[in-house]
Amino acid sequence: MAQPRVIRQRIWDSLKAVARPDTRFHLSFSEFIPDFEGVEQATDRIAALPAFADSKLAFVTPDNSMTELRRRLIVEGKAFVMSTYNMQRGFLYMAPGIVPPDAAPFAAWLDGMEHFARPINLEELTTIGRFDLLATGASAVTKDGIRFGKGHTFFDLEWGMFTDLGLVDEKTPVAAIVHDVQVVDEQLSPSETDIQVDFIATPSRLATVERQSRRPRGIKWERLTRDEIVDTPPLKELARMRGVA
């Protein structure tokens, strides 16, 4: 089996030709998941799905490759939640209809989200409804839907929290928006926390994944250090809610 770190490095080398540099991290892909040439076409493929059309509440990661999808959600007047970078300030809730139409491109950027969206904690999140769609970027994704990010497992942790709270379940659609160079042929042996996606959207195609196994549920508290819990506000909140010492 190929190692994710080896695949990441190969993908990062290929991404340099198609990635849009970040304003802070340039092309340091170990620090962020980049936007890329053709992301508009890849996003078109997700926006055409019934899961997008029917969504009342979506979750979108703060990856640069999600900026266009966040803009579409704002324009369509759909509510969504986004985690802050590395979950350092928890989650932001973008309510429908609060962004002036001409401000949607700015509001979709991370700085714009900080301006227009409002912080929301897990307890409040449980009162506004379940997620109808989750969308994420990735460093790479296999053809059978195993996605892996920068190596920090934040999306896996978010999924674990959401399943614990009943905000998502096995049927909740999960989509990855990536460039074609990020889709790999290698077979990976997923860990007990890896999330398999249902859709892989690239500039050239939409792939539907037939999942053969169930996704993980809950937080694997034994895999986390006390510092990781204390330094990540949503994890700290959930630990308090669940009585985790």
Side-chain angles (χ1 to χ4, degrees):
M1 293 289 185
Q3 295 297 316
R5 61 182 178 82
V6 175
I7 297 174
R8 279 193 192 95
Q9 189 57 60
R10 190 188 75 228
I11 296 301
W12 291 343
D13 290 341
S14 299
L15 271 174
K16 291 176 182 177
V18 296
R20 295 168 177 168
D22 184 76
T23 57
R24 294 166 297 171
F25 300 121
H26 187 47
L27 295 176
S28 181
F29 301 132
S30 63
E31 300 293 338
F32 78 110
I33 292 176
D35 203 354
F36 52 81
E37 298 300 324
V39 74
E40 295 82 6
Q41 289 76 25
T43 305
D44 285 342
R45 304 181 195 285
I46 297 301
L49 292 171
F52 178 90
D54 297 339
S55 174
K56 300 292 192 299
L57 179 66
F59 174 78
V60 183
T61 59
D63 302 321
N64 289 13
S65 56
M66 295 289 104
T67 303
E68 175 62 12
L69 183 62
R70 293 193 293 266
R71 187 190 70 80
R72 303 279 185 98
L73 288 164
I74 292 168
V75 170
E76 294 283 337
K78 294 181 178 294
F80 67 96
V81 172
M82 185 191 80
S83 52
T84 56
Y85 184 75
N86 290 356
M87 283 194 286
Q88 288 299 298
R89 293 181 312 286
F91 299 101
L92 298 173
Y93 173 64
M94 181 69 82
I98 66 169
V99 177
D102 59 351
F106 166 69
W109 286 92
L110 299 188
D111 287 346
M113 287 290 299
E114 297 279 358
H115 179 77
F116 284 101
R118 65 175 177 85
I120 186 169
N121 61 25
L122 294 180
E123 185 173 3
E124 185 181 3
L125 190 52
T126 62
T127 70
I128 65 173
R130 291 165 51 88
F131 291 118
D132 303 306
L133 172 69
L134 278 70
T136 179
S139 286
V141 61
T142 66
K143 290 183 177 178
D144 59 351
I146 300 298
R147 54 88 54 202
F148 46 102
K150 305 186 299 294
H152 304 305
T153 71
F154 289 113
F155 187 68
D156 297 345
L157 289 171
E158 289 154 1
W159 175 266
M161 287 187 284
F162 296 158
T163 53
D164 182 286
L165 295 168
L167 301 175
V168 298
D169 60 26
E170 190 63 27
K171 296 181 180 179
T172 306
V174 181
I177 296 179
V178 294
H179 194 276
D180 292 277
V181 303
Q182 295 172 282
V183 182
V184 300
D185 293 321
E186 285 91 345
Q187 294 290 314
L188 294 178
S189 179
S191 75
E192 61 178 331
T193 60
D194 281 334
I195 308 302
Q196 191 176 21
V197 304
D198 299 289
F199 303 102
I200 306 169
T202 75
S204 70
R205 64 191 295 262
L206 176 72
T208 300
V209 176
E210 297 296 332
R211 289 190 283 114
Q212 301 300 316
S213 59
R214 296 183 66 83
R215 294 183 179 123
R217 289 184 56 83
I219 292 294
K220 312 299 183 187
W221 295 107
E222 69 279 4
R223 296 168 65 102
L224 300 173
T225 67
R226 178 172 178 81
D227 284 347
E228 287 173 325
I229 296 171
V230 170
D231 293 342
T232 309
L235 283 175
K236 184 178 180 181
E237 181 186 3
L238 186 62
R240 176 184 56 79
M241 293 168 68
R242 296 294 179 253
V244 175

